[in-house]
Amino acid sequence: MFKKNLNFNKNPDNLIPAIIQDATTKTVLMLGYMNEEAYQQTILTQKVTFFSRTKDRLWTKGEESGNFLNLVSIDADCDNDTLLIQVHPTGSVCHTGADTCWKQPNKADYGFLSNLENTIQLRKENGLAETSYIASLFAKGINKIAQKVGEEAIEMVIEAKDSNDALFLNESADLLFHYLVLLNAKGFELNDVVKILNDRS
């Protein structure tokens, strides 16, 4: 979406901030500034262009590095003086080589599920099999983990045929949990599966 009637005159330098967000992962990548010419150039070329205050000219992100920000959408805030620009980046965004200007990895965050993946990894690395269920699964090896996923899948299917929603949901949670453990044991994470689903769509 491209919005007209932006308030470029609110600030003395006729610049408005542009927050850059990855359209897929929703990670905030960087902050730049645009004047009206940079805004129009962005729409025309479909590559995000800023007004560089240090270079005192228009600057298309990636013009030197090749790491362009391919435009997906532009939205203005309620005062029409700040932009949220969603993009598909073609490489690292920060000049330091980091994914973002805050040195955060540009990967999707699935909230609780991402936290659970982190917990599984920590238990795998540091947990004691005597005190941690997750560590005990890893200690038993990939075959036991895969077997557990199969058992949980069968239990979920059985509950799906009955009318006890609470049991069905609990078995579904057990299956999802053990599936995340299996993904980790195989060296993958939820992002790898989501990428395949995105590619299929």
Side-chain angles (χ1 to χ4, degrees):
M1 179 193 335
F2 307 117
K3 187 156 186 170
K4 299 179 181 179
N5 303 319
L6 295 171
N7 191 358
F8 289 100
N9 300 320
K10 188 171 184 178
N11 298 311
D13 53 10
N14 297 323
L15 298 177
I16 60 176
I19 301 164
I20 309 301
Q21 181 183 43
D22 189 302
T24 302
T25 66
K26 305 307 178 187
T27 301
V28 175
L29 303 175
M30 65 172 290
L31 172 70
Y33 292 88
M34 287 185 171
N35 59 12
E36 189 166 6
E37 188 179 1
Y39 172 76
Q40 297 296 342
Q41 182 75 1
T42 296
I43 295 174
L44 178 66
T45 65
Q46 296 292 291
K47 297 188 185 305
V48 176
T49 297
F50 302 102
F51 182 84
S52 171
R53 294 171 295 174
T54 54
K55 299 175 182 176
D56 195 31
R57 65 171 176 83
L58 293 187
W59 166 65
T60 299
K61 178 73 176 76
E63 64 185 26
E64 296 177 2
S65 67
N67 295 337
F68 293 102
L69 299 173
N70 296 309
L71 181 63
V72 174
S73 67
I74 300 178
D75 288 292
D77 72 345
C78 55
D79 294 322
N80 289 333
D81 62 2
T82 301
L83 297 174
L84 176 62
I85 302 178
Q86 296 202 28
V87 302
H88 289 312
T90 58
S92 60
V93 172
C94 184
H95 69 281
T96 64
D99 285 351
T100 78
C101 289
W102 290 270
K103 298 181 180 177
Q104 297 173 334
N106 182 17
K107 58 187 291 188
D109 187 337
Y110 303 105
F112 172 77
L113 290 179
S114 293
N115 291 337
L116 182 55
E117 282 193 306
N118 291 335
T119 298
I120 290 170
Q121 180 63 31
L122 288 173
R123 294 289 189 276
K124 176 183 178 181
E125 295 172 355
N126 307 318
L128 297 175
E130 296 79 12
T131 58
S132 165
Y133 174 68
I134 295 172
S136 71
L137 284 175
F138 282 111
K140 292 173 183 174
I142 189 72
N143 289 343
K144 181 61 178 178
I145 297 172
Q147 177 186 336
K148 192 64 179 170
V149 171
E151 292 171 358
E152 297 298 343
I154 291 170
E155 290 174 7
M156 187 199 71
V157 170
I158 291 172
E159 294 303 335
K161 294 184 172 189
D162 293 329
S163 57
N164 190 322
D165 292 343
L167 285 176
F168 169 70
L169 289 174
N170 273 281
E171 294 299 343
S172 298
D174 288 345
L175 174 58
L176 180 55
F177 167 77
H178 287 92
Y179 173 64
L180 291 177
V181 173
L182 181 60
L183 271 179
N184 183 291
K186 293 291 291 181
F188 299 109
E189 56 185 25
L190 201 53
N191 262 325
D192 297 307
V193 179
V194 171
K195 182 179 184 304
I196 292 173
L197 291 174
N198 278 329
D199 291 343
R200 287 179 181 177
S201 67

